[in-house]
Amino acid sequence: MTLSHRAAQDQADADPTYRILLIEDDAADALLVEELLYDTGLRFELTTRTTLADARTELAARSIDCILLDLHLPDISGTEAVAAVRSLAPHTAVIVLTGLSEKQAGAEAMTAGAQDYLVKGRVEAELLHRTLRYAVYRSETERAAAQAQKARLRAEENARLERRLLPPPILGTSAVTVTSRYLPGAEGALLGGDFLDVVEGDDGLLHAVVGDVSGHGPDAAAVGVCLRIAWRSLVLGGHQGPELLRLMERVLIAECGADMLFATCTIITLDQEAATATLHLAGHHRPLLTTAEGTREIPATHGTALGLVPDLGAWTATVVPLPRAGALTIYTDGLTEGHHGSGRHRLGVEGLLQLIHELSPNDPATHLDHLIKEARTLNADRHTDDVAVLRLDWNIDAWSARNDGAHPRLSRTPGQASSVGPPADEPTPR
C-alpha cells in the first residue's frame, strides 16, 4: 500500500459513521435520499421508518445522530412533527425535508427546533453532506452546553447543601483540631443524608455529631440539614444526652411526615479539663480512638436509632478516658459497607482498622484522604453510599510548647482553651 493510499485509508477510518433515521412515508423519496447519502461519501447507517409511531420505537431502542424528517406523515404533520421528534430525541440533530411549494415550512420547522431544512428536488450530494455534518456538530455542541449547564447547577446545589450539612465548626479552643470529609456516593451525585457538626458551648465543652438519615437523594439531604441545624441549636441552648436525642427525634418525625425515615448518629461531648469523652450512640457506629499505641474501636453502649421506635428510644452514656494526645474519629457506614476487594465480603470495622494500621502516620487531613481513597479503591464503586468522616485531634504537650509552656484549661467563659489529663484504662457506662 502506497503512502497516499494509506493516508486515505487512515482518514476514512477516522471519519465517523453517522447513524441516520429517515422518517419518510414516500418510498420514492426515501430511495432518493438513500442514493444522495451514498453520493456524499459519508459513512452512515440508514434506518427508514414511515410513521412517527415506528420512529418512536426506533429512538427508544438505540442512539441516533441525525433524523431526516418529512413534514407530512400519516400520523402527524407540520411543526407538530418537529416538536414531537424533538421531545423524543432532544439532543439529536433534526433536518426537515420540505416540498417545493412549502416556502415557509422550513423556516417554521427551524423555529420549532430543527437544526436545518432541505427542499426535496433541490438537494445535491454536496449540500446534503455539508448540512448533515453541520447539523450533527450543532446538536453535539448544544448537548455539551446542556451537560455543562447541568453540571454547573448540580455543583451549585451541592455547594448549597454543603453549607448546610458541613458548616464551619464553632470553636473557642486551640487544643483541638477538627478535620472532616464528605463525599457523595456516586460521581457527580448530590450530597445525601449524612451530616456532621462541631460546636464548643459556653461551658467550654466540645460537642460533635455525625449522623446518617436513611434513604438517599434530596429528601434525605433535606432531613439531614434539619437535624444538623436542630442539633447545633439545641447544643448551644444547653441540651445534652438523652434529652438532646429525644428533641432531635421529635424534629425528625415532624420533618419526615409520612415518609417514615429514621436516622442514626453518634454524639460526643469532649471535656478536656476532665480528660473524658461522653458518647451517646443512636444506632450508629462506635468511634475510633487513636493513641500512640495505635487505633481501636471504643467499647460503647448502643442506643436506638432516631425515629425507629418513636418515644421508646433509650440512650445510655459511655464515658471514655482520654490520653494527653490522641484523636477520635466518627464516620458513617459508607466508609465500611463497601466491598473488600474482588470478593463479596464487606470492609467492616476490622478492615477499616487494618487500613488505618497500614497507612503512614500523616497529618489528619492527608490521613483521611488516603483512608477514603483506599476504601473506595477496594470497593471499586460497587457500593455507592455517601461517606462522612469527622476527626478530632489534640496534643496538649505540643500546644503548651507552641504557647510558651502555658497549660490550656477550660474556663467557664467561651474562647479559652482546656486541658487533657492522663488516660485511664477503660470507658465507663453511666
Side-chain angles (χ1 to χ4, degrees):
M1 182 182 293
T2 66
L3 290 177
S4 59
H5 287 163
R6 181 172 297 174
Q9 182 64 43
D10 291 342
Q11 178 62 37
D13 292 340
D15 288 339
T17 298
Y18 294 97
R19 293 161 297 185
I20 301 171
L21 174 61
L22 172 61
I23 312 176
E24 170 65 77
D25 65 325
D26 188 305
D29 286 345
L31 181 59
L32 178 61
V33 169
E34 184 175 4
E35 291 176 349
L36 283 170
L37 283 171
Y38 280 113
D39 291 341
T40 63
L42 294 171
R43 300 171 64 179
F44 67 92
E45 297 173 359
L46 179 65
T47 302
T48 302
R49 293 293 180 265
T50 59
T51 65
L52 179 65
D54 291 341
R56 179 182 289 108
T57 303
E58 184 68 23
L59 290 170
R62 66 192 190 99
S63 178
I64 295 295
D65 296 313
C66 183
I67 299 171
L68 300 176
L69 174 65
D70 178 37
L71 284 183
H72 300 287
L73 300 172
D75 51 353
I76 198 169
S77 63
T79 56
E80 291 183 3
V82 179
V85 168
R86 291 291 290 175
S87 66
L88 294 172
H91 300 300
T92 299
V94 177
I95 300 174
V96 164
L97 304 176
T98 69
L100 290 172
S101 61
E102 300 173 303
K103 296 182 178 179
Q104 297 298 320
E108 292 173 355
M110 292 185 66
T111 302
Q115 267 72 35
D116 212 331
Y117 71 95
L118 296 170
V119 179
K120 294 179 181 180
R122 294 186 177 178
V123 182
E124 296 179 352
E126 183 179 352
L127 176 60
L128 179 59
H129 180 284
R130 183 171 62 250
T131 302
L132 194 148
R133 295 193 66 167
Y134 174 74
V136 172
Y137 171 77
R138 181 179 170 188
S139 69
E140 290 176 346
T141 303
E142 291 173 351
R143 183 188 302 117
Q147 291 173 344
Q149 176 67 7
K150 183 178 180 180
R152 283 193 296 270
L153 292 175
R154 186 172 292 275
E156 291 172 1
E157 291 175 359
N158 251 337
R160 287 193 294 271
L161 272 175
E162 184 173 343
R163 287 194 295 270
R164 303 299 185 269
L165 291 166
L166 308 174
I170 300 178
L171 297 175
T173 174
S174 57
V176 174
T177 300
V178 178
T179 308
S180 65
R181 292 292 184 268
Y182 193 153
L183 283 82
E187 185 70 25
L190 291 174
L191 300 178
D194 294 4
F195 60 95
L196 55 85
D197 202 355
V198 179
V199 168
E200 185 174 345
D202 290 345
D203 57 4
L205 299 178
L206 191 70
H207 306 272
V209 64
V210 168
D212 184 0
V213 179
S214 62
H216 301 279
D219 290 338
V223 174
V225 169
C226 290
L227 287 179
R228 203 278 307 164
I229 294 174
W231 178 87
R232 173 174 282 202
S233 302
L234 291 167
V235 165
L236 291 176
H239 298 279
Q240 296 183 32
E243 178 192 18
L244 169 62
L245 288 163
R246 277 192 292 272
L247 292 172
M248 290 178 64
E249 185 174 61
R250 289 184 62 184
V251 172
L252 170 66
I253 294 171
E255 291 295 329
C256 290
D259 291 339
M260 301 296 292
L261 297 178
F262 66 90
T264 67
C265 68
T266 292
I267 294 176
I268 292 181
T269 300
L270 191 63
D271 186 339
Q272 297 171 86
E273 189 173 11
T276 61
T278 302
L279 314 179
H280 288 87
L281 307 183
H284 205 77
H285 309 286
R286 298 183 177 101
L288 306 179
L289 176 62
T290 300
T291 64
E293 288 73 34
T295 299
R296 61 184 177 88
E297 189 179 35
I298 298 175
T301 304
H302 280 288
T304 312
L306 303 181
L308 197 59
V309 283
D311 301 324
L312 296 178
W315 304 283
T316 302
T318 301
V319 180
V320 181
L322 299 176
R324 292 183 62 81
L328 283 168
T329 302
I330 328 172
Y331 57 92
T332 58
D333 55 13
L335 188 61
T336 55
E337 287 193 351
H339 291 79
H340 190 190
S342 58
R344 293 183 297 175
H345 297 292
R346 304 288 178 168
L347 181 64
V349 178
E350 291 185 1
L352 180 64
L353 291 173
Q354 182 64 31
L355 283 183
I356 293 173
H357 175 73
E358 294 171 356
L359 290 175
S360 301
N362 304 109
D363 62 275
T366 304
H367 188 272
L368 284 189
D369 290 336
H370 287 173
L371 180 62
I372 293 172
K373 179 181 178 181
E374 289 298 321
R376 289 200 153 189
T377 299
L378 287 171
N379 180 44
D381 296 327
R382 286 179 290 168
H383 178 74
T384 55
D385 199 1
D386 299 333
V387 175
V389 187
L390 176 64
R391 174 167 164 160
L392 307 175
D393 285 79
W394 65 90
N395 188 325
I396 296 305
D397 295 332
W399 190 95
S400 299
R402 290 196 305 268
N403 292 273
D404 300 324
H407 186 68
R409 284 187 57 83
L410 277 176
S411 69
R412 297 310 164 191
T413 57
Q416 203 165 355
S418 63
S419 65
V420 175
D425 293 329
E426 292 295 334
T428 305
R430 68 179 183 188

